[in-house]
Amino acid sequence: MRQLLLRAILTALAGSGCYAAHAQGGAPFGFEFKAVAKVVQGTDTLRNAWAGGLNSPQFSNIDLNADQQPDLFVFDRATNRVFPFLNVATAAGRAWQFAPDYAALFPQDLTGWVLLRDYDCDGRPDLFTADASGSNIRVFRQVPDAQGRPGFRLITAQLTYFDPGPFGGDINIATGGYNMPAVEDVDGDGRLDVLTYDFSASSPAIYYYRNTTATGCGGLEFREASSYWGGISACLTGCNQFAFAPNLCPPFRTLKPNHTGGYNVGLFDLDGDGDKDLLTGRDNCPELTAIRNNGTAQTASFTAASVNSVAPFTASALVPNFPAAFPVDVTFDGRPDVVLAPALYDNTDTVETRQSVVLYRNTGTGAAPSLVREQSDFLQRDMVDVSELAAPTFGDIDGDGLVDMLVGGVSRNNTAHFYRAGLSYYRNVGTRTAPVFKLITSDYLGLMSQKLAFIKPVLVDLNRDGALDMVYSAYRKGTSDNPIAFVLNTAAAGRPVALNLSSVSYFANMPQRVFDMPCFADIDGDGRVDMLLGSNSNSIDYPGQALRYYRNTGAADLSQAFVVQDNDFGRIRTSSGSRPSSLSPVVADFDGDGRPDLLTADAAGDIRFFPDIRTQSGAFLARTDIFYNNLTAQYQVGQWGWANRFRYAPAAADVNGDGAPELFLGLEGGGINSFSTRNRLVTASHPAQAALPLQLYPNPATFTATLEAAQPVHVTVLDLAGRVVRPATAAARTHQLSVAGLPAGIYLVRIQALTGETSVRRLEVK
């Protein structure tokens, strides 16, 4: 009877997250996207807190789930990532709900720009995008599946126009690697045309490629109708400068910094007269220019008098840099609004991307629009977004026993508006099983005054005193050194963290390469936390590959305690055998077998899972199909972004008390994605090993039992009915558990680390 009762209690504890777990019955282990905690900023509870942040978004409408409602497709140029949003009903009306599983319905190699437009008149938007070179236009036709959800089939890898000249023929429509074209029905004949700036000219005009398909719909046959559409050319004499036929641009000076000179074309009938007006932006300029078409749909005509002459663009419409305009219904009323956003490939110019998406709501009726500026952070307002390079870490900062969150990031969110790295502190004001992260400050410890251009924090107990210390990898703007610093916590275990930046120290014998990514875990099982370092360094002084293992020798001087043990840990390589760029590691017992697993993410977007690394040697075996898609009911590789300058910052913590560490991906775009584990189960007939390395002795015990752990833990003793018989202790590595006075029988010892990881051991009392 006692064994049956024990089995029931263990099963219940597994369900409540108090017992370590692992996959059963051959069901594959993995992760699935889940909003694992609420997030509050000011008085707002963020609707899409864990969506991941937007830097250079592009917008189109499409029905994703076949419910006859226009949903929202967002493609971020800076991170090459699709963000799908469903149009859902709420108590307060319609709202946008982040739905990442739908990204799998789109081509996986999208890059540069993406516009959804219906070219074959079947009522379903097709997909126009750049190719890998950035210059050619690819077209995918939408072919829905049996459930009516969109799918896409490549129609052409190079959209062409026909040149009837003696040396002509089919010639590719070249947009240039930086420009964004317009794909719209320009002349009102029901067929999609293409407009794009001349990417090779110093004072570029706009090329107009007219769709000449004889059947009216369904064709992609083009001819060059004009190389000087509307008689307008952009001048390099300054932002918002144009020349109008027959005038030419004056001699120009090079704008600083010197860029490739991209230009965007957007079309919208601002004045309701039936022809397309021009909304255009250029690189290194924050202003969007609106130019009224004084001609007709068939023959456009622009003049100097029509520049910024239509409300609401009579005043400057600004985004941080390189504005692009998207006519799209985002206010659920069936009328096209206008959304402005940066069209940056990267943020070399260090502009603020945290509040950079401007919404102009269309309040007009009939054919005449009326655009009203409504907000400057469309969708971004509902996300955790620290602008760029989000790097989360978790631990109990305020000493209340709940897991809090720190997020490193880079922004201009400071009084001087300098581009600086800092830490945002989110205090957990919820409960152990229902966390709520509330933003307390965007400049924890005042680090923005340090003039840092990057920061990746890690909360970890370095000196084995039971209190969380802080390690951070950072570099100062204008330098190439990236030392890894640490600050010891002067508060006692269980008290609010006390960190003094005046006592910062630095680890010796490290590469100090920009964007080095450290994580800490007991790799060799000796009870001390070691360091894994993702680094792009391969200098003569510090040779090595993408991941290095530094063993903690236990030296009293912590700055000297970590010594390189393996400068090519795991022998991690790309599919082509090369070294991964900007690799970032995290270690946790994700699958619940009681042994540490390794997860890495790199600039190419490759996320690899290496189970049980203590038993692996040489080239580690990895899985990449680890993210479960509920829409397709399949595991797939990560689709969370990639770019040459993309940096991930993964972290792990059990924030909701379910006994399993959640996975968090800090992203280049300034946001965070959160994931729960899947198929991490346990049965009493096959009890899991403790996820936390520890010893409990003597067992059975009569008066006192000793528990020793490799890291500071809280300990609670429960009876088989789940009642607490010895309340939670302060965090420490060693605990003397008094069992005197307890009736003889079986008890459960629940152990919880400061990072939230939880395990349970059985203790017999005689």
Side-chain angles (χ1 to χ4, degrees):
M1 181 66 183
R2 176 177 291 178
Q3 292 300 319
L4 291 175
L5 186 56
L6 172 61
R7 179 173 298 182
I9 292 295
L10 289 175
T11 303
L13 285 171
S16 65
C18 298
Y19 200 61
H22 62 92
Q24 297 291 316
F29 164 80
F31 303 93
E32 58 184 319
F33 177 84
K34 183 179 180 181
V36 299
K38 292 182 178 180
V39 180
V40 175
Q41 294 184 175
T43 59
D44 296 330
T45 298
L46 306 188
R47 179 171 185 83
N48 297 302
W50 306 101
L54 298 173
N55 278 12
S56 298
Q58 304 163 10
F59 301 87
S60 299
N61 284 126
I62 185 174
D63 183 3
L64 291 170
N65 55 353
D67 66 350
Q68 309 306 309
Q69 295 288 339
D71 303 306
L72 191 59
F73 168 91
V74 182
F75 176 75
D76 194 290
R77 169 183 263 192
T79 60
N80 295 296
R81 180 181 171 188
V82 172
F83 291 79
F85 290 86
L86 293 178
N87 177 345
V88 299
T90 71
R94 310 298 298 187
W96 296 116
Q97 182 65 50
F98 180 54
D101 287 348
Y102 286 87
L105 303 180
F106 294 86
Q108 300 306 299
D109 60 345
L110 299 178
T111 186
W113 56 269
V114 182
L115 297 171
L116 303 185
R117 303 289 187 266
D118 180 12
Y119 82 84
D120 55 2
C121 301
D122 62 358
R124 295 186 290 262
D126 308 298
L127 189 149
F128 293 74
T129 186
D131 68 356
S133 73
S135 186
N136 296 308
I137 298 176
R138 295 182 294 161
V139 182
F140 293 80
R141 183 172 183 264
Q142 186 185 152
V143 182
D145 64 13
Q147 289 75 41
R149 298 175 305 207
F152 295 90
R153 184 177 72 238
L154 181 66
I155 297 300
T156 178
Q158 189 180 77
L159 197 63
T160 62
Y161 71 97
F162 180 73
D163 182 352
F167 302 102
D170 289 332
I171 302 174
N172 65 308
I173 298 177
T175 63
Y178 217 59
N179 293 342
M180 182 179 296
V183 181
E184 302 280 356
D185 178 10
V186 175
D187 56 5
D189 66 354
R191 296 184 290 253
L192 289 180
D193 310 300
V194 177
L195 294 177
T196 184
Y197 274 97
D198 179 0
F199 67 90
S200 63
S202 59
S203 299
I206 297 175
Y207 276 89
Y208 169 28
Y209 298 97
R210 183 172 179 268
N211 192 326
T212 58
T213 304
T215 56
C217 269
L220 294 169
E221 299 174 10
F222 295 88
R223 294 229 181 164
E224 181 188 306
S226 175
S227 61
Y228 194 26
W229 182 68
I232 184 174
S233 56
C235 303
L236 296 184
T237 50
C239 298
N240 210 16
Q241 299 295 309
F242 299 88
F244 300 91
N247 300 318
L248 301 177
C249 290
F252 67 91
R253 58 180 176 82
T254 301
L255 295 177
K256 300 295 184 180
N258 190 15
H259 288 261
T260 54
Y263 296 85
N264 299 320
V265 180
L267 300 178
F268 190 79
D269 185 3
L270 292 169
D271 51 9
D273 65 353
D275 56 36
K276 300 293 186 182
D277 304 302
L278 177 63
L279 299 174
T280 184
R282 59 159 296 181
D283 187 21
N284 201 41
C285 293
E287 303 96 336
L288 180 88
T289 304
I291 308 177
R292 188 180 68 250
N293 185 351
N294 296 315
T296 65
Q298 292 73 33
T299 306
S301 176
F302 300 103
T303 65
S306 61
V307 174
N308 292 336
S309 61
V310 184
F313 300 114
T314 50
S316 293
L318 304 175
V319 299
N321 195 356
F322 199 12
F326 303 93
V328 59
D329 178 17
V330 297
T331 55
F332 313 106
D333 58 7
R335 294 188 292 266
D337 310 295
V338 173
V339 179
L340 308 185
L344 302 170
Y345 271 105
D346 56 47
N347 198 7
T348 304
D349 294 331
T350 66
V351 299
E352 176 71 85
T353 59
R354 184 176 53 91
Q355 296 177 333
S356 58
V357 182
V358 183
L359 166 60
Y360 287 85
R361 178 190 285 266
N362 187 350
T363 62
T365 58
S370 178
L371 298 175
V372 178
R373 192 179 192 275
E374 183 165 287
Q375 66 182 102
S376 61
D377 54 358
F378 174 64
L379 292 182
Q380 296 170 313
R381 177 183 297 177
D382 296 320
M383 305 175 182
V384 173
D385 191 342
V386 294
S387 190
E388 284 195 282
L389 293 168
T393 188
F394 298 84
D396 182 8
I397 294 173
D398 58 356
D400 65 354
L402 301 178
V403 179
D404 307 304
M405 177 171 70
L406 283 182
V407 185
V410 192
S411 73
R412 293 183 179 271
N413 187 23
N414 52 75
T415 55
H417 302 294
F418 292 128
Y419 189 70
R420 296 286 185 264
L423 297 177
S424 295
Y425 168 34
Y426 290 82
R427 180 172 179 258
N428 188 346
V429 297
T431 66
R432 189 177 70 86
T433 57
V436 178
F437 293 120
K438 181 178 177 61
L439 179 64
I440 303 301
T441 176
S442 297
D443 192 16
Y444 181 66
L445 300 179
L447 274 163
M448 281 193 172
S449 66
Q450 302 292 311
K451 300 182 180 180
L452 303 176
F454 158 76
I455 186 167
K456 187 223 188 294
V458 184
L459 292 172
V460 58
D461 181 12
L462 287 174
N463 57 357
R464 299 164 61 90
D465 65 352
L468 286 174
D469 309 301
M470 188 174 79
V471 176
Y472 60 96
S473 173
Y475 78 91
R476 293 185 185 277
K477 191 170 178 62
T479 72
S480 58
D481 292 336
N482 190 133
I484 299 178
F486 64 92
V487 184
L488 295 181
N489 184 357
T490 59
R495 304 294 298 171
V497 168
L499 302 172
N500 188 343
L501 291 180
S502 65
S503 61
V504 65
S505 300
Y506 300 91
F507 292 115
N509 307 314
M510 301 283 171
Q512 299 190 11
R513 181 69 181 267
V514 171
F515 301 120
D516 278 355
M517 295 289 197
C519 80
F520 292 83
D522 183 6
I523 302 300
D524 56 4
D526 66 354
R528 292 188 291 264
V529 291
D530 307 300
M531 182 196 298
L532 293 183
L533 183 68
S535 180
N536 286 329
S537 173
N538 192 22
S539 66
I540 296 175
D541 294 334
Y542 298 99
Q545 291 292 326
L547 187 63
R548 294 106 187 273
Y549 163 33
Y550 290 82
R551 182 175 176 272
N552 187 341
T553 63
D557 182 355
L558 281 171
S559 67
Q560 302 288 334
F562 293 86
V563 176
V564 64
Q565 189 80 9
D566 188 341
N567 66 3
D568 190 10
F569 189 64
R571 312 298 188 265
I572 300 172
R573 301 292 187 271
T574 67
S575 58
S576 63
S578 61
R579 168 187 183 151
S581 175
S582 299
L583 184 138
S584 187
V586 65
V587 175
D589 178 21
F590 288 111
D591 59 11
D593 64 357
R595 296 180 289 268
D597 309 307
L598 168 66
L599 183 140
T600 66
D602 61 45
D606 293 330
I607 300 176
R608 302 174 178 87
F609 176 71
F610 304 88
D612 191 7
I613 56 174
R614 286 182 184 160
T615 62
Q616 296 211 49
S617 61
F620 288 1
L621 298 177
R623 276 183 58 204
T624 56
D625 58 336
I626 57 174
F627 294 98
Y628 186 76
N629 187 313
N630 285 282
L631 192 66
T632 63
Q634 294 179 341
Y635 281 94
Q636 63 187 36
V637 298
Q639 299 173 2
W640 314 108
W642 64 271
N644 290 335
R645 292 167 54 89
F646 201 104
R647 273 81 50 153
Y648 282 95
D654 179 12
V655 301
N656 58 6
D658 65 354
E662 284 75 47
L663 171 66
F664 299 86
L665 292 179
L667 302 170
E668 182 80 18
I672 303 170
N673 289 146
S674 61
F675 306 86
S676 61
T677 55
R678 181 179 175 84
N679 292 329
R680 191 183 195 265
L681 305 176
V682 68
T683 64
S685 61
H686 189 177
Q689 298 183 29
L692 299 168
L694 54 88
Q695 291 183 321
L696 179 63
Y697 62 89
N699 192 0
T702 303
F703 300 103
T704 302
T706 299
L707 185 140
E708 295 179 349
Q711 57 182 297
V713 295
H714 299 285
V715 178
T716 307
V717 182
L718 307 94
D719 64 15
L720 289 181
R723 294 184 294 261
V724 174
V725 297
R726 294 290 184 266
T729 61
R733 282 191 169 80
T734 302
H735 296 264
Q736 300 296 323
L737 304 177
S738 173
V739 297
L742 292 179
I746 302 297
Y747 293 83
L748 302 175
V749 181
R750 185 172 67 200
I751 306 101
Q752 183 174 20
L754 296 178
T755 56
E757 194 172 10
T758 306
S759 187
V760 170
R761 284 292 182 92
R762 186 179 69 170
L763 174 65
E764 183 177 357
V765 175
K766 287 188 174 181

